[in-house]
Amino acid sequence: MAAVPDGKGGVVHKMVPVSAAPARKVKRKARPAPDPIHANPEAAAQALKLFIERIMRLQDEIAEMQADVSDVFLEAKSQGYDKKGMQAIIALLKKEKNLRDEEEAILDTYKTALGLN
């Protein structure tokens, strides 16, 4: 059934044959995001400059922290501690306990199988 205009300003409901193919939905084209540089070049350049400055500042902080970590390892080495052993312990501490236990159980099983225990 479809509402069909009656020619007098109203509508009449009539039986209309259904087409064999279902009506297709028309897909709308996605609108591309506006280019900030073309929209407002001065503001876009300023925003880009701020992002780059923040990234560079964070990279400098990371480099400083890495230098601090190296200094701590050197200090520990001067007191007789092994850097590789400390790194292994740090890696273990970063893992969850159940994951550490599972890895240790697998390692023990392999050692037993190879006669290393």
Side-chain angles (χ1 to χ4, degrees), residues 19-72:
S19 63
R24 294 184 189 172
K25 290 185 179 179
V26 177
K27 290 186 180 179
R28 294 184 182 183
K29 290 184 179 179
R31 292 183 182 176
D35 185 4
I37 294 174
H38 287 86
N40 190 350
E42 290 179 22
Q46 184 65 26
L48 179 61
K49 182 180 176 183
L50 291 174
F51 282 128
I52 290 173
E53 287 174 353
R54 282 175 52 196
I55 290 169
M56 290 175 62
R57 191 170 44 251
L58 289 170
Q59 287 175 338
D60 289 343
E61 290 177 17
I62 290 170
E64 289 174 11
M65 288 181 183
Q66 288 173 337
D68 291 345
V69 169
S70 295
D71 291 344
V72 173

Side-chain angles (χ1 to χ4, degrees), residues 7 11 18 20 35 40-41 47 53-54 60-61 64 72 74 78 82-83 85-86 89-90 100 102-103 105 110 112:
V11 293
V18 179
D35 185 4
N40 190 350
E53 287 174 353
R54 282 175 52 196
D60 289 343
E61 290 177 17
E64 289 174 11
V72 173
L74 287 174
S78 71
D82 181 54
K83 180 179 176 180
M86 291 173 60
I89 294 296
I90 291 169
R100 283 195 316 255
E102 181 181 339
E103 289 177 359
Y110 290 173
T112 303

Side-chain angles (χ1 to χ4, degrees), residues 88-107:
I89 294 296
I90 291 169
L92 285 173
L93 291 172
K94 287 182 179 180
K95 295 179 184 177
E96 294 182 12
K97 182 171 177 7
N98 59 352
L99 184 60
R100 283 195 316 255
D101 293 342
E102 181 181 339
E103 289 177 359
E104 288 177 17
I106 291 170
L107 188 60

